Amino acid sequence: DAGVTQSPTHLIKTRGQHVTLRCSPISGHKSVSWYQQVLGQGPQFIFQYYEKEERGRGNFPDRFSARQFPNYSSELNVNALLLGDSALYLCASSYRPGQGADEQYFGPGTRLTVT
Amino acid sequence: LAKTTQPISMDSYEGQEVNITCSHNNIATNDYITWYQQFPSQGPRFIIQGYKTKVTNEVASLFIPADRKSSTLSLPRVSLSDTAVYYCLVGDMGDDKIIFGKGTRLHILP
């Protein structure tokens, strides 16, 4: 079975630009969460989506937005990129919300570098 | 949310048993203890979860004392491929908004 897939693998952007990251959950999974992992730190929760609705939001500015599509895939958008947005962006999927930490499956991430 | 404290880094040798201890003094009654593993440039991967006493699976064992204020992840006979960051998490069973700390960077030496 295919796991969580994310695209692109790597991305280089310039300050002020916009970026869109994509995530496809495991087949049958309807909940998608996004995390940001800065080098040397643990992942930080950004968003959770379920059935196209936002279910949770972490402490991130409004420059960060996301959406989920009818096929349960998701996009994370970041506007007006800052150097500090350079990080590994991780997507995690689960069958539905409330499954707990033991039922979250993470993708390989997208490495975003802002110059 | 209960905060966790774990060593920043550890070194060990191939074939040894490695024990990583995590402190969670403010753990709540409904909280479970979960450990994740993360290899460089990969997403975190669930290893093991427990509530009390001892849990064992094909990868690791998790020891939790009666007061549940700490837990120990035990990796038997480690190999070079066990070099990774290990995260200790504490949260409610249904809480899938995972709060990660800095983790423990485990380095296995030949």
PDB file of all heavy atoms in Angstrom, chain A residues 35 37 41-45 48 90 96-102 104 106-108, chain B residues 34 36 38 41-44 46 49 87 93-98 100-102 105:
ATOM      1  N   TYR A  35       2.500  19.870   9.431  1.00  0.00           N
ATOM      2  CA  TYR A  35       3.467  20.238  10.454  1.00  0.00           C
ATOM      3  C   TYR A  35       4.649  20.939   9.797  1.00  0.00           C
ATOM      4  O   TYR A  35       5.015  20.630   8.657  1.00  0.00           O
ATOM      5  CB  TYR A  35       3.993  18.995  11.188  1.00  0.00           C
ATOM      6  CG  TYR A  35       2.995  18.329  12.098  1.00  0.00           C
ATOM      7  CD1 TYR A  35       1.999  17.501  11.588  1.00  0.00           C
ATOM      8  CD2 TYR A  35       3.040  18.525  13.481  1.00  0.00           C
ATOM      9  CE1 TYR A  35       1.077  16.894  12.429  1.00  0.00           C
ATOM     10  CE2 TYR A  35       2.123  17.910  14.324  1.00  0.00           C
ATOM     11  CZ  TYR A  35       1.152  17.098  13.786  1.00  0.00           C
ATOM     12  OH  TYR A  35       0.248  16.493  14.619  1.00  0.00           O
ATOM     13  N   GLN A  37       8.718  21.628  10.436  1.00  0.00           N
ATOM     14  CA  GLN A  37       9.862  21.214  11.238  1.00  0.00           C
ATOM     15  C   GLN A  37      11.093  22.005  10.840  1.00  0.00           C
ATOM     16  O   GLN A  37      11.689  21.781   9.773  1.00  0.00           O
ATOM     17  CB  GLN A  37      10.138  19.715  11.091  1.00  0.00           C
ATOM     18  CG  GLN A  37      11.247  19.232  12.019  1.00  0.00           C
ATOM     19  CD  GLN A  37      11.403  17.728  12.006  1.00  0.00           C
ATOM     20  OE1 GLN A  37      11.060  17.050  11.041  1.00  0.00           O
ATOM     21  NE2 GLN A  37      11.922  17.178  13.101  1.00  0.00           N
ATOM     22  N   GLN A  41      14.712  21.036  15.438  1.00  0.00           N
ATOM     23  CA  GLN A  41      13.539  21.082  16.310  1.00  0.00           C
ATOM     24  C   GLN A  41      12.575  19.955  15.948  1.00  0.00           C
ATOM     25  O   GLN A  41      12.660  19.359  14.879  1.00  0.00           O
ATOM     26  CB  GLN A  41      12.810  22.423  16.155  1.00  0.00           C
ATOM     27  CG  GLN A  41      13.685  23.634  16.413  1.00  0.00           C
ATOM     28  CD  GLN A  41      14.084  23.772  17.865  1.00  0.00           C
ATOM     29  OE1 GLN A  41      13.273  23.543  18.764  1.00  0.00           O
ATOM     30  NE2 GLN A  41      15.345  24.129  18.102  1.00  0.00           N
ATOM     31  N   GLY A  42      11.634  19.698  16.853  1.00  0.00           N
ATOM     32  CA  GLY A  42      10.574  18.754  16.545  1.00  0.00           C
ATOM     33  C   GLY A  42       9.525  19.403  15.671  1.00  0.00           C
ATOM     34  O   GLY A  42       9.431  20.631  15.590  1.00  0.00           O
ATOM     35  N   PRO A  43       8.718  18.614  14.993  1.00  0.00           N
ATOM     36  CA  PRO A  43       7.644  19.176  14.155  1.00  0.00           C
ATOM     37  C   PRO A  43       6.653  19.992  14.987  1.00  0.00           C
ATOM     38  O   PRO A  43       6.354  19.639  16.127  1.00  0.00           O
ATOM     39  CB  PRO A  43       6.975  17.926  13.572  1.00  0.00           C
ATOM     40  CG  PRO A  43       8.006  16.849  13.659  1.00  0.00           C
ATOM     41  CD  PRO A  43       8.782  17.146  14.899  1.00  0.00           C
ATOM     42  N   GLN A  44       6.151  21.066  14.380  1.00  0.00           N
ATOM     43  CA  GLN A  44       5.152  21.924  15.016  1.00  0.00           C
ATOM     44  C   GLN A  44       3.852  21.873  14.215  1.00  0.00           C
ATOM     45  O   GLN A  44       3.865  22.066  12.995  1.00  0.00           O
ATOM     46  CB  GLN A  44       5.654  23.365  15.099  1.00  0.00           C
ATOM     47  CG  GLN A  44       6.944  23.520  15.881  1.00  0.00           C
ATOM     48  CD  GLN A  44       6.804  23.102  17.328  1.00  0.00           C
ATOM     49  OE1 GLN A  44       5.932  23.592  18.043  1.00  0.00           O
ATOM     50  NE2 GLN A  44       7.647  22.173  17.784  1.00  0.00           N
ATOM     51  N   PHE A  45       2.741  21.656  14.900  1.00  0.00           N
ATOM     52  CA  PHE A  45       1.436  21.515  14.266  1.00  0.00           C
ATOM     53  C   PHE A  45       0.991  22.820  13.624  1.00  0.00           C
ATOM     54  O   PHE A  45       1.045  23.875  14.256  1.00  0.00           O
ATOM     55  CB  PHE A  45       0.422  21.061  15.317  1.00  0.00           C
ATOM     56  CG  PHE A  45      -1.003  21.042  14.848  1.00  0.00           C
ATOM     57  CD1 PHE A  45      -1.467  19.977  14.092  1.00  0.00           C
ATOM     58  CD2 PHE A  45      -1.875  22.062  15.172  1.00  0.00           C
ATOM     59  CE1 PHE A  45      -2.784  19.945  13.666  1.00  0.00           C
ATOM     60  CE2 PHE A  45      -3.193  22.031  14.760  1.00  0.00           C
ATOM     61  CZ  PHE A  45      -3.652  20.972  14.002  1.00  0.00           C
ATOM     62  N   GLN A  48      -5.122  20.950  10.838  1.00  0.00           N
ATOM     63  CA  GLN A  48      -5.736  19.665  10.596  1.00  0.00           C
ATOM     64  C   GLN A  48      -7.011  19.890   9.788  1.00  0.00           C
ATOM     65  O   GLN A  48      -7.797  20.787  10.097  1.00  0.00           O
ATOM     66  CB  GLN A  48      -6.073  18.916  11.891  1.00  0.00           C
ATOM     67  CG  GLN A  48      -6.690  17.542  11.616  1.00  0.00           C
ATOM     68  CD  GLN A  48      -7.147  16.838  12.880  1.00  0.00           C
ATOM     69  OE1 GLN A  48      -7.689  17.447  13.796  1.00  0.00           O
ATOM     70  NE2 GLN A  48      -6.910  15.537  12.945  1.00  0.00           N
ATOM     71  N   LEU A  90       5.765  18.688   6.811  1.00  0.00           N
ATOM     72  CA  LEU A  90       5.305  17.313   6.904  1.00  0.00           C
ATOM     73  C   LEU A  90       3.795  17.242   6.860  1.00  0.00           C
ATOM     74  O   LEU A  90       3.099  18.094   7.424  1.00  0.00           O
ATOM     75  CB  LEU A  90       5.799  16.685   8.210  1.00  0.00           C
ATOM     76  CG  LEU A  90       7.307  16.537   8.353  1.00  0.00           C
ATOM     77  CD1 LEU A  90       7.690  16.388   9.814  1.00  0.00           C
ATOM     78  CD2 LEU A  90       7.799  15.350   7.547  1.00  0.00           C
ATOM     79  N   ARG A  96      -9.602   9.231  10.534  1.00  0.00           N
ATOM     80  CA  ARG A  96     -10.503  10.319  10.918  1.00  0.00           C
ATOM     81  C   ARG A  96      -9.876  11.030  12.119  1.00  0.00           C
ATOM     82  O   ARG A  96      -8.932  10.520  12.713  1.00  0.00           O
ATOM     83  CB  ARG A  96     -11.885   9.778  11.295  1.00  0.00           C
ATOM     84  CG  ARG A  96     -11.854   8.703  12.363  1.00  0.00           C
ATOM     85  CD  ARG A  96     -13.252   8.323  12.835  1.00  0.00           C
ATOM     86  NE  ARG A  96     -13.224   7.171  13.724  1.00  0.00           N
ATOM     87  CZ  ARG A  96     -12.871   7.220  15.005  1.00  0.00           C
ATOM     88  NH1 ARG A  96     -12.488   8.361  15.535  1.00  0.00           N
ATOM     89  NH2 ARG A  96     -12.890   6.128  15.750  1.00  0.00           N
ATOM     90  N   PRO A  97     -10.371  12.196  12.486  1.00  0.00           N
ATOM     91  CA  PRO A  97      -9.836  12.881  13.671  1.00  0.00           C
ATOM     92  C   PRO A  97     -10.105  12.082  14.940  1.00  0.00           C
ATOM     93  O   PRO A  97     -11.014  11.260  14.976  1.00  0.00           O
ATOM     94  CB  PRO A  97     -10.614  14.207  13.699  1.00  0.00           C
ATOM     95  CG  PRO A  97     -11.115  14.383  12.324  1.00  0.00           C
ATOM     96  CD  PRO A  97     -11.372  13.001  11.794  1.00  0.00           C
ATOM     97  N   GLY A  98      -9.300  12.336  15.947  1.00  0.00           N
ATOM     98  CA  GLY A  98      -9.505  11.690  17.225  1.00  0.00           C
ATOM     99  C   GLY A  98      -8.938  10.290  17.295  1.00  0.00           C
ATOM    100  O   GLY A  98      -9.239   9.545  18.224  1.00  0.00           O
ATOM    101  N   GLN A  99      -8.094   9.959  16.344  1.00  0.00           N
ATOM    102  CA  GLN A  99      -7.518   8.610  16.338  1.00  0.00           C
ATOM    103  C   GLN A  99      -6.313   8.504  17.255  1.00  0.00           C
ATOM    104  O   GLN A  99      -5.883   7.406  17.576  1.00  0.00           O
ATOM    105  CB  GLN A  99      -7.109   8.233  14.914  1.00  0.00           C
ATOM    106  CG  GLN A  99      -8.290   8.129  13.991  1.00  0.00           C
ATOM    107  CD  GLN A  99      -8.584   6.706  13.582  1.00  0.00           C
ATOM    108  OE1 GLN A  99      -8.129   6.246  12.556  1.00  0.00           O
ATOM    109  NE2 GLN A  99      -9.345   6.001  14.384  1.00  0.00           N
ATOM    110  N   GLY A 100      -5.741   9.650  17.606  1.00  0.00           N
ATOM    111  CA  GLY A 100      -4.621   9.619  18.525  1.00  0.00           C
ATOM    112  C   GLY A 100      -3.271   9.558  17.831  1.00  0.00           C
ATOM    113  O   GLY A 100      -3.169   9.344  16.620  1.00  0.00           O
ATOM    114  N   ALA A 101      -2.240   9.719  18.660  1.00  0.00           N
ATOM    115  CA  ALA A 101      -0.879   9.803  18.140  1.00  0.00           C
ATOM    116  C   ALA A 101      -0.401   8.494  17.539  1.00  0.00           C
ATOM    117  O   ALA A 101       0.547   8.482  16.751  1.00  0.00           O
ATOM    118  CB  ALA A 101       0.065  10.241  19.253  1.00  0.00           C
ATOM    119  N   ASP A 102      -1.020   7.386  17.898  1.00  0.00           N
ATOM    120  CA  ASP A 102      -0.541   6.103  17.383  1.00  0.00           C
ATOM    121  C   ASP A 102      -1.130   5.757  16.022  1.00  0.00           C
ATOM    122  O   ASP A 102      -0.783   4.735  15.438  1.00  0.00           O
ATOM    123  CB  ASP A 102      -0.855   4.989  18.380  1.00  0.00           C
ATOM    124  CG  ASP A 102      -2.336   4.844  18.651  1.00  0.00           C
ATOM    125  OD1 ASP A 102      -3.046   5.868  18.579  1.00  0.00           O
ATOM    126  OD2 ASP A 102      -2.796   3.728  18.942  1.00  0.00           O
ATOM    127  N   GLN A 104      -1.313   8.183  13.429  1.00  0.00           N
ATOM    128  CA  GLN A 104      -0.919   9.235  12.496  1.00  0.00           C
ATOM    129  C   GLN A 104       0.218   8.702  11.633  1.00  0.00           C
ATOM    130  O   GLN A 104       1.192   8.165  12.134  1.00  0.00           O
ATOM    131  CB  GLN A 104      -0.438  10.470  13.254  1.00  0.00           C
ATOM    132  CG  GLN A 104      -1.467  11.075  14.191  1.00  0.00           C
ATOM    133  CD  GLN A 104      -2.667  11.598  13.466  1.00  0.00           C
ATOM    134  OE1 GLN A 104      -2.558  12.333  12.486  1.00  0.00           O
ATOM    135  NE2 GLN A 104      -3.841  11.219  13.932  1.00  0.00           N
ATOM    136  N   PHE A 106       2.957   9.755   8.794  1.00  0.00           N
ATOM    137  CA  PHE A 106       3.608  10.920   8.206  1.00  0.00           C
ATOM    138  C   PHE A 106       4.207  10.604   6.838  1.00  0.00           C
ATOM    139  O   PHE A 106       4.695   9.501   6.595  1.00  0.00           O
ATOM    140  CB  PHE A 106       4.735  11.417   9.122  1.00  0.00           C
ATOM    141  CG  PHE A 106       4.257  12.175  10.320  1.00  0.00           C
ATOM    142  CD1 PHE A 106       3.811  11.509  11.450  1.00  0.00           C
ATOM    143  CD2 PHE A 106       4.238  13.561  10.316  1.00  0.00           C
ATOM    144  CE1 PHE A 106       3.363  12.202  12.561  1.00  0.00           C
ATOM    145  CE2 PHE A 106       3.804  14.275  11.432  1.00  0.00           C
ATOM    146  CZ  PHE A 106       3.361  13.593  12.539  1.00  0.00           C
ATOM    147  N   GLY A 107       4.161  11.630   5.981  1.00  0.00           N
ATOM    148  CA  GLY A 107       4.839  11.538   4.709  1.00  0.00           C
ATOM    149  C   GLY A 107       6.307  11.909   4.848  1.00  0.00           C
ATOM    150  O   GLY A 107       6.753  12.266   5.951  1.00  0.00           O
ATOM    151  N   PRO A 108       7.060  11.857   3.752  1.00  0.00           N
ATOM    152  CA  PRO A 108       8.493  12.150   3.801  1.00  0.00           C
ATOM    153  C   PRO A 108       8.809  13.631   3.906  1.00  0.00           C
ATOM    154  O   PRO A 108       9.938  14.011   4.225  1.00  0.00           O
ATOM    155  CB  PRO A 108       9.008  11.585   2.481  1.00  0.00           C
ATOM    156  CG  PRO A 108       7.828  11.675   1.571  1.00  0.00           C
ATOM    157  CD  PRO A 108       6.626  11.423   2.432  1.00  0.00           C
TER     158      PRO A 108
ATOM    159  N   THR B  34       3.601   8.070  24.122  1.00  0.00           N
ATOM    160  CA  THR B  34       3.873   7.596  22.767  1.00  0.00           C
ATOM    161  C   THR B  34       5.290   7.959  22.376  1.00  0.00           C
ATOM    162  O   THR B  34       5.767   9.040  22.709  1.00  0.00           O
ATOM    163  CB  THR B  34       2.893   8.245  21.773  1.00  0.00           C
ATOM    164  OG1 THR B  34       1.545   8.052  22.225  1.00  0.00           O
ATOM    165  CG2 THR B  34       3.042   7.648  20.376  1.00  0.00           C
ATOM    166  N   TYR B  36       7.972   8.232  19.041  1.00  0.00           N
ATOM    167  CA  TYR B  36       8.155   8.292  17.600  1.00  0.00           C
ATOM    168  C   TYR B  36       9.642   8.252  17.276  1.00  0.00           C
ATOM    169  O   TYR B  36      10.479   8.673  18.069  1.00  0.00           O
ATOM    170  CB  TYR B  36       7.571   9.598  17.027  1.00  0.00           C
ATOM    171  CG  TYR B  36       6.132   9.525  16.586  1.00  0.00           C
ATOM    172  CD1 TYR B  36       5.096   9.537  17.504  1.00  0.00           C
ATOM    173  CD2 TYR B  36       5.819   9.482  15.228  1.00  0.00           C
ATOM    174  CE1 TYR B  36       3.776   9.490  17.079  1.00  0.00           C
ATOM    175  CE2 TYR B  36       4.508   9.439  14.798  1.00  0.00           C
ATOM    176  CZ  TYR B  36       3.490   9.444  15.731  1.00  0.00           C
ATOM    177  OH  TYR B  36       2.183   9.407  15.305  1.00  0.00           O
ATOM    178  N   GLN B  38      12.415   9.307  14.089  1.00  0.00           N
ATOM    179  CA  GLN B  38      12.558  10.062  12.848  1.00  0.00           C
ATOM    180  C   GLN B  38      13.974   9.949  12.315  1.00  0.00           C
ATOM    181  O   GLN B  38      14.926  10.348  12.988  1.00  0.00           O
ATOM    182  CB  GLN B  38      12.181  11.529  13.042  1.00  0.00           C
ATOM    183  CG  GLN B  38      12.192  12.321  11.732  1.00  0.00           C
ATOM    184  CD  GLN B  38      11.743  13.757  11.887  1.00  0.00           C
ATOM    185  OE1 GLN B  38      11.849  14.333  12.965  1.00  0.00           O
ATOM    186  NE2 GLN B  38      11.243  14.347  10.805  1.00  0.00           N
ATOM    187  N   SER B  41      15.660  13.632   7.134  1.00  0.00           N
ATOM    188  CA  SER B  41      14.903  13.946   5.911  1.00  0.00           C
ATOM    189  C   SER B  41      13.742  12.981   5.676  1.00  0.00           C
ATOM    190  O   SER B  41      13.347  12.732   4.537  1.00  0.00           O
ATOM    191  CB  SER B  41      15.825  13.935   4.684  1.00  0.00           C
ATOM    192  OG  SER B  41      16.795  14.945   4.818  1.00  0.00           O
ATOM    193  N   GLN B  42      13.204  12.428   6.761  1.00  0.00           N
ATOM    194  CA  GLN B  42      12.004  11.603   6.656  1.00  0.00           C
ATOM    195  C   GLN B  42      10.989  12.077   7.685  1.00  0.00           C
ATOM    196  O   GLN B  42      11.326  12.793   8.630  1.00  0.00           O
ATOM    197  CB  GLN B  42      12.324  10.126   6.889  1.00  0.00           C
ATOM    198  CG  GLN B  42      13.168   9.486   5.804  1.00  0.00           C
ATOM    199  CD  GLN B  42      13.283   7.983   5.995  1.00  0.00           C
ATOM    200  OE1 GLN B  42      12.392   7.346   6.567  1.00  0.00           O
ATOM    201  NE2 GLN B  42      14.369   7.407   5.507  1.00  0.00           N
ATOM    202  N   GLY B  43       9.745  11.648   7.506  1.00  0.00           N
ATOM    203  CA  GLY B  43       8.737  11.972   8.497  1.00  0.00           C
ATOM    204  C   GLY B  43       8.859  11.077   9.721  1.00  0.00           C
ATOM    205  O   GLY B  43       9.408   9.981   9.650  1.00  0.00           O
ATOM    206  N   PRO B  44       8.335  11.518  10.860  1.00  0.00           N
ATOM    207  CA  PRO B  44       8.356  10.691  12.068  1.00  0.00           C
ATOM    208  C   PRO B  44       7.536   9.418  11.869  1.00  0.00           C
ATOM    209  O   PRO B  44       6.585   9.393  11.094  1.00  0.00           O
ATOM    210  CB  PRO B  44       7.714  11.593  13.126  1.00  0.00           C
ATOM    211  CG  PRO B  44       7.817  12.971  12.596  1.00  0.00           C
ATOM    212  CD  PRO B  44       7.736  12.836  11.109  1.00  0.00           C
ATOM    213  N   PHE B  46       5.668   6.196  14.101  1.00  0.00           N
ATOM    214  CA  PHE B  46       5.226   5.662  15.386  1.00  0.00           C
ATOM    215  C   PHE B  46       6.013   4.411  15.751  1.00  0.00           C
ATOM    216  O   PHE B  46       6.209   3.522  14.923  1.00  0.00           O
ATOM    217  CB  PHE B  46       3.733   5.346  15.316  1.00  0.00           C
ATOM    218  CG  PHE B  46       3.211   4.556  16.476  1.00  0.00           C
ATOM    219  CD1 PHE B  46       2.888   5.185  17.665  1.00  0.00           C
ATOM    220  CD2 PHE B  46       3.045   3.180  16.380  1.00  0.00           C
ATOM    221  CE1 PHE B  46       2.405   4.455  18.743  1.00  0.00           C
ATOM    222  CE2 PHE B  46       2.560   2.440  17.447  1.00  0.00           C
ATOM    223  CZ  PHE B  46       2.245   3.084  18.631  1.00  0.00           C
ATOM    224  N   GLN B  49       3.368   2.734  22.078  1.00  0.00           N
ATOM    225  CA  GLN B  49       2.517   3.546  22.944  1.00  0.00           C
ATOM    226  C   GLN B  49       2.099   2.724  24.151  1.00  0.00           C
ATOM    227  O   GLN B  49       1.889   1.510  24.031  1.00  0.00           O
ATOM    228  CB  GLN B  49       1.283   4.031  22.190  1.00  0.00           C
ATOM    229  CG  GLN B  49       0.363   4.957  22.977  1.00  0.00           C
ATOM    230  CD  GLN B  49      -0.870   5.346  22.185  1.00  0.00           C
ATOM    231  OE1 GLN B  49      -1.756   4.545  21.936  1.00  0.00           O
ATOM    232  NE2 GLN B  49      -0.914   6.604  21.755  1.00  0.00           N
ATOM    233  N   TYR B  87      11.350  10.765  19.767  1.00  0.00           N
ATOM    234  CA  TYR B  87      10.488  11.734  20.436  1.00  0.00           C
ATOM    235  C   TYR B  87       9.576  11.022  21.432  1.00  0.00           C
ATOM    236  O   TYR B  87       8.931  10.012  21.091  1.00  0.00           O
ATOM    237  CB  TYR B  87       9.622  12.474  19.429  1.00  0.00           C
ATOM    238  CG  TYR B  87      10.367  13.350  18.460  1.00  0.00           C
ATOM    239  CD1 TYR B  87      10.671  12.891  17.185  1.00  0.00           C
ATOM    240  CD2 TYR B  87      10.751  14.646  18.808  1.00  0.00           C
ATOM    241  CE1 TYR B  87      11.349  13.696  16.279  1.00  0.00           C
ATOM    242  CE2 TYR B  87      11.425  15.453  17.913  1.00  0.00           C
ATOM    243  CZ  TYR B  87      11.725  14.978  16.655  1.00  0.00           C
ATOM    244  OH  TYR B  87      12.395  15.770  15.764  1.00  0.00           O
ATOM    245  N   MET B  93      -5.665   9.933  24.488  1.00  0.00           N
ATOM    246  CA  MET B  93      -5.769   8.872  23.483  1.00  0.00           C
ATOM    247  C   MET B  93      -6.334   9.379  22.168  1.00  0.00           C
ATOM    248  O   MET B  93      -5.941   8.953  21.105  1.00  0.00           O
ATOM    249  CB  MET B  93      -6.654   7.751  24.032  1.00  0.00           C
ATOM    250  CG  MET B  93      -6.683   6.507  23.172  1.00  0.00           C
ATOM    251  SD  MET B  93      -5.052   5.740  23.072  1.00  0.00           S
ATOM    252  CE  MET B  93      -5.458   4.193  22.307  1.00  0.00           C
ATOM    253  N   GLY B  94      -7.272  10.303  22.223  1.00  0.00           N
ATOM    254  CA  GLY B  94      -7.911  10.792  21.013  1.00  0.00           C
ATOM    255  C   GLY B  94      -7.329  12.068  20.471  1.00  0.00           C
ATOM    256  O   GLY B  94      -7.865  12.649  19.533  1.00  0.00           O
ATOM    257  N   ASP B  95      -6.225  12.504  21.044  1.00  0.00           N
ATOM    258  CA  ASP B  95      -5.628  13.772  20.636  1.00  0.00           C
ATOM    259  C   ASP B  95      -4.636  13.529  19.514  1.00  0.00           C
ATOM    260  O   ASP B  95      -3.545  13.005  19.753  1.00  0.00           O
ATOM    261  CB  ASP B  95      -4.937  14.425  21.829  1.00  0.00           C
ATOM    262  CG  ASP B  95      -4.486  15.847  21.531  1.00  0.00           C
ATOM    263  OD1 ASP B  95      -4.714  16.309  20.398  1.00  0.00           O
ATOM    264  OD2 ASP B  95      -3.912  16.483  22.421  1.00  0.00           O
ATOM    265  N   ASP B  96      -5.000  13.891  18.310  1.00  0.00           N
ATOM    266  CA  ASP B  96      -4.078  13.675  17.197  1.00  0.00           C
ATOM    267  C   ASP B  96      -3.366  14.943  16.773  1.00  0.00           C
ATOM    268  O   ASP B  96      -2.718  14.968  15.736  1.00  0.00           O
ATOM    269  CB  ASP B  96      -4.780  13.002  16.020  1.00  0.00           C
ATOM    270  CG  ASP B  96      -6.110  13.619  15.716  1.00  0.00           C
ATOM    271  OD1 ASP B  96      -6.324  14.768  16.122  1.00  0.00           O
ATOM    272  OD2 ASP B  96      -6.941  12.963  15.075  1.00  0.00           O
ATOM    273  N   LYS B  97      -3.491  16.014  17.533  1.00  0.00           N
ATOM    274  CA  LYS B  97      -2.643  17.180  17.357  1.00  0.00           C
ATOM    275  C   LYS B  97      -1.383  16.907  18.191  1.00  0.00           C
ATOM    276  O   LYS B  97      -1.378  17.102  19.395  1.00  0.00           O
ATOM    277  CB  LYS B  97      -3.338  18.438  17.845  1.00  0.00           C
ATOM    278  CG  LYS B  97      -2.462  19.680  17.799  1.00  0.00           C
ATOM    279  CD  LYS B  97      -3.171  20.862  18.435  1.00  0.00           C
ATOM    280  CE  LYS B  97      -2.231  22.043  18.600  1.00  0.00           C
ATOM    281  NZ  LYS B  97      -2.888  23.195  19.265  1.00  0.00           N
ATOM    282  N   ILE B  98      -0.361  16.402  17.534  1.00  0.00           N
ATOM    283  CA  ILE B  98       0.813  15.916  18.251  1.00  0.00           C
ATOM    284  C   ILE B  98       1.726  17.066  18.626  1.00  0.00           C
ATOM    285  O   ILE B  98       2.083  17.892  17.778  1.00  0.00           O
ATOM    286  CB  ILE B  98       1.577  14.881  17.399  1.00  0.00           C
ATOM    287  CG1 ILE B  98       0.643  13.736  17.011  1.00  0.00           C
ATOM    288  CG2 ILE B  98       2.776  14.353  18.164  1.00  0.00           C
ATOM    289  CD1 ILE B  98       1.267  12.752  16.057  1.00  0.00           C
ATOM    290  N   PHE B 100       5.310  17.826  19.633  1.00  0.00           N
ATOM    291  CA  PHE B 100       6.667  17.268  19.663  1.00  0.00           C
ATOM    292  C   PHE B 100       7.586  18.192  20.453  1.00  0.00           C
ATOM    293  O   PHE B 100       7.507  19.407  20.346  1.00  0.00           O
ATOM    294  CB  PHE B 100       7.233  17.126  18.251  1.00  0.00           C
ATOM    295  CG  PHE B 100       6.618  16.052  17.407  1.00  0.00           C
ATOM    296  CD1 PHE B 100       5.493  16.315  16.637  1.00  0.00           C
ATOM    297  CD2 PHE B 100       7.172  14.778  17.373  1.00  0.00           C
ATOM    298  CE1 PHE B 100       4.937  15.323  15.844  1.00  0.00           C
ATOM    299  CE2 PHE B 100       6.621  13.785  16.580  1.00  0.00           C
ATOM    300  CZ  PHE B 100       5.500  14.057  15.814  1.00  0.00           C
ATOM    301  N   GLY B 101       8.502  17.587  21.216  1.00  0.00           N
ATOM    302  CA  GLY B 101       9.594  18.336  21.824  1.00  0.00           C
ATOM    303  C   GLY B 101      10.788  18.283  20.884  1.00  0.00           C
ATOM    304  O   GLY B 101      10.628  18.093  19.678  1.00  0.00           O
ATOM    305  N   LYS B 102      11.975  18.439  21.438  1.00  0.00           N
ATOM    306  CA  LYS B 102      13.184  18.420  20.613  1.00  0.00           C
ATOM    307  C   LYS B 102      13.691  17.011  20.376  1.00  0.00           C
ATOM    308  O   LYS B 102      14.520  16.786  19.504  1.00  0.00           O
ATOM    309  CB  LYS B 102      14.275  19.275  21.241  1.00  0.00           C
ATOM    310  CG  LYS B 102      13.941  20.756  21.283  1.00  0.00           C
ATOM    311  CD  LYS B 102      15.110  21.573  21.782  1.00  0.00           C
ATOM    312  CE  LYS B 102      14.765  23.057  21.770  1.00  0.00           C
ATOM    313  NZ  LYS B 102      15.898  23.887  22.243  1.00  0.00           N
ATOM    314  N   ARG B 105      18.581  12.699  20.167  1.00  0.00           N
ATOM    315  CA  ARG B 105      19.340  12.293  18.981  1.00  0.00           C
ATOM    316  C   ARG B 105      20.216  11.112  19.365  1.00  0.00           C
ATOM    317  O   ARG B 105      21.205  11.265  20.093  1.00  0.00           O
ATOM    318  CB  ARG B 105      20.171  13.473  18.496  1.00  0.00           C
ATOM    319  CG  ARG B 105      20.719  13.337  17.101  1.00  0.00           C
ATOM    320  CD  ARG B 105      21.235  14.692  16.613  1.00  0.00           C
ATOM    321  NE  ARG B 105      20.184  15.703  16.572  1.00  0.00           N
ATOM    322  CZ  ARG B 105      19.370  15.907  15.539  1.00  0.00           C
ATOM    323  NH1 ARG B 105      19.502  15.177  14.445  1.00  0.00           N
ATOM    324  NH2 ARG B 105      18.447  16.845  15.592  1.00  0.00           N
TER     325      ARG B 105
END
